[in-house]
Amino acid sequence: MSRLNRMSEAFKSVSIGIKAFLHRQRWKEALIFSCFVLLSFGFWVLQSLQGEYETDLSIPIRYVNVPAYLTFDSELPKSIDLHVRDKGSALLNYSVEKRMRTINIDLSKLSTDKNEYVVGTQFLQSEIQKLLLATTKLYSFRPQRLTLNYGLRSSKDVPVMFDGEVQTPGGFLLSGDISTMPAMVTIYGSQKTLDTINCVKTVHVEVKKAKKTITKDVALKSIPGVTMHTESVSVIIPVEEYTEKSIDIPVRITGVPDIYTVRTFPQSVTVSCNIPISKFKELTQELVAVDLPFKMLEENVSGTLNVDLSSKPKWVKSYSIAPKRIEFLLEVKGNVK
């Protein structure tokens, strides 16, 4: 018998066993009993929900428009605890539907001439009643008033640094430095903390397959004990299609004493630069230089030198030089005594 046939026979045997069990009288009686138990439980729950109960609830507090230049002497209260009474169905509604929202306390008008702000009982009670059902009786709440002690923070302007990775497909590269707007942000905190901070970084960002300049809002990394006047900055990532341009650059020896004449072979090298298409016409001999100090010749006994660019535009990301080594001849001028 094949494996498939054995599995089929086993399935049939199990099916027959299940059917026989369900047709037994005891199973039917147990099923009927269970249904009555469930119905009884449902009626009991409905009856219970009609009764009134007392319970404790908690309402979160949210502080909005907090001036960044203020610091609070202690941790601000995060919630208000209530003692209420209502029907069970109403109390269940608070947890099932998450009806308890937040009490918003606006701190935008805190005066710098004072160091204390009091949120009174009347205001809190009014805000609590807005969040309760009409049938809910408020017996008590605590704290009944909020006293917020605050003071001015020290401030410091620091640069923003981009933290991330930018990947470009073939033929595309960064055409300049990644910048942010604003480039500087004001941070607030204790003077001791501010003295340890030299910059603020963005959250880590990964950009893949960038084929054009990208501008995006990026959040700043939070720093414990420090607030900032802005939570995010605009990051500008300049990306452009690249091409190659080759130019001949003369090799120059700098700092040659008057008694010497220096000849190089060849007298120029070919520099192939990988540059943005928009800079193709801008790249000229005046922007690229191959300058070798005379000291290199004095210290060299082989008669050949490695050459490299001594200056180039920032937007030249990569380049190659041919030939990479040149020969030189150092001659003493005949008319020098």
Side-chain angles (χ1 to χ4, degrees):
M1 183 182 293
S2 68
R3 184 178 180 182
L4 181 60
N5 290 335
R6 288 198 300 269
M7 292 177 61
S8 178
E9 290 298 327
F11 178 75
K12 289 179 180 179
S13 177
V14 172
S15 298
I16 293 172
I18 293 174
K19 289 180 180 179
F21 176 77
L22 293 176
H23 283 83
R24 291 178 183 174
Q25 185 64 27
R26 290 183 179 179
W27 167 250
K28 292 182 180 179
E29 293 175 355
L31 183 60
I32 293 172
F33 176 76
S34 299
C35 290
F36 277 110
V37 170
L38 290 174
L39 286 174
S40 300
F41 178 74
F43 284 122
W44 176 80
V45 170
L46 290 175
Q47 186 67 25
S48 299
L49 292 177
Q50 296 307 309
E52 289 196 352
Y53 303 90
E54 293 184 13
T55 189
D56 294 322
L57 300 174
S58 180
I59 301 180
I61 300 175
R62 181 170 175 259
Y63 301 92
V64 297
N65 301 322
V66 181
Y69 51 80
L70 294 183
T71 181
F72 294 91
D73 296 343
S74 59
E75 187 176 2
L76 300 179
K78 296 182 179 180
S79 62
I80 296 179
D81 297 323
L82 318 177
H83 187 71
V84 298
R85 181 181 179 87
D86 206 337
K87 289 183 177 181
S89 56
L91 298 178
L92 183 63
N93 184 64
Y94 288 119
S95 58
V96 174
E97 296 186 5
K98 297 182 179 179
R99 184 178 178 84
M100 301 305 292
R101 297 183 294 274
T102 60
I103 293 179
N104 292 328
I105 298 180
D106 189 354
L107 301 181
S108 61
K109 296 182 180 179
L110 291 185
S111 173
T112 56
D113 298 331
K114 301 179 181 179
N115 57 9
E116 184 179 274
Y117 180 71
V118 177
V119 182
T121 303
Q122 186 175 357
F123 172 82
L124 291 177
Q125 184 171 355
S126 174
E127 293 300 307
I128 292 171
Q129 292 290 356
K130 293 178 184 178
L131 302 178
L132 296 177
L133 295 170
T135 57
T136 302
K137 298 177 182 178
L138 175 64
Y139 282 161
S140 64
F141 64 91
R142 61 182 185 276
Q144 292 198 341
R145 56 183 286 168
L146 304 177
T147 301
L148 312 180
N149 296 307
Y150 62 91
L152 293 177
R153 293 188 175 204
S154 299
S155 63
K156 180 181 180 180
D157 292 334
V158 294
V160 179
M161 290 187 62
F162 172 73
D163 181 13
E165 299 177 7
V166 179
Q167 299 178 5
T168 57
F172 293 84
L173 288 172
L174 287 173
S175 58
D177 295 332
I178 298 175
S179 59
T180 64
M181 291 184 62
M184 306 280 290
V185 296
T186 303
I187 59 176
Y188 302 90
S190 67
Q191 191 60 51
K192 182 179 180 181
T193 300
L194 296 186
D195 289 341
T196 65
I197 301 173
N198 296 319
C199 68
V200 173
K201 293 184 178 181
T202 66
V203 297
H204 188 77
V205 176
E206 291 187 2
V207 179
K208 298 181 179 179
K209 298 181 180 180
K211 293 185 178 181
K212 61 180 181 180
T213 296
I214 298 172
T215 300
K216 62 185 305 181
D217 290 335
V218 180
L220 297 173
K221 283 184 180 177
S222 60
I223 303 175
V226 171
T227 56
M228 309 174 195
H229 82 278
T230 181
E231 296 180 350
S232 63
V233 295
S234 292
V235 176
I236 300 94
I237 305 173
V239 177
E240 194 172 338
E241 187 173 1
Y242 269 60
T243 187
E244 187 175 87
K245 183 175 182 178
S246 298
I247 52 177
D248 291 331
I249 305 296
V251 178
R252 296 180 300 193
I253 309 299
T254 61
V256 181
D258 292 338
I259 63 172
Y260 293 113
T261 298
V262 179
R263 304 181 188 277
T264 63
F265 306 95
Q267 295 182 342
S268 64
V269 293
T270 301
V271 180
S272 299
C273 301
N274 202 17
I275 60 173
I277 288 180
S278 62
K279 302 289 187 180
F280 190 85
K281 292 183 179 179
E282 190 174 332
L283 183 64
T284 60
Q285 286 186 346
E286 289 73 19
L287 298 180
V288 181
V290 177
D291 294 338
L292 303 178
F294 180 77
K295 186 176 180 180
M296 290 180 60
L297 279 67
E298 289 184 306
E299 297 173 351
N300 188 287
V301 295
S302 66
T304 62
L305 289 172
N306 290 323
V307 294
D308 199 0
L309 298 186
S310 55
S311 64
K312 66 178 181 63
K314 289 183 178 180
W315 35 264
V316 174
K317 295 299 181 181
S318 61
Y319 60 88
S320 61
I321 301 176
K324 295 182 179 180
R325 294 181 64 86
I326 62 169
E327 297 179 350
F328 69 91
L329 180 63
L330 184 61
E331 300 176 341
V332 178
K333 294 181 180 179
N335 58 350
V336 177
K337 298 180 180 180

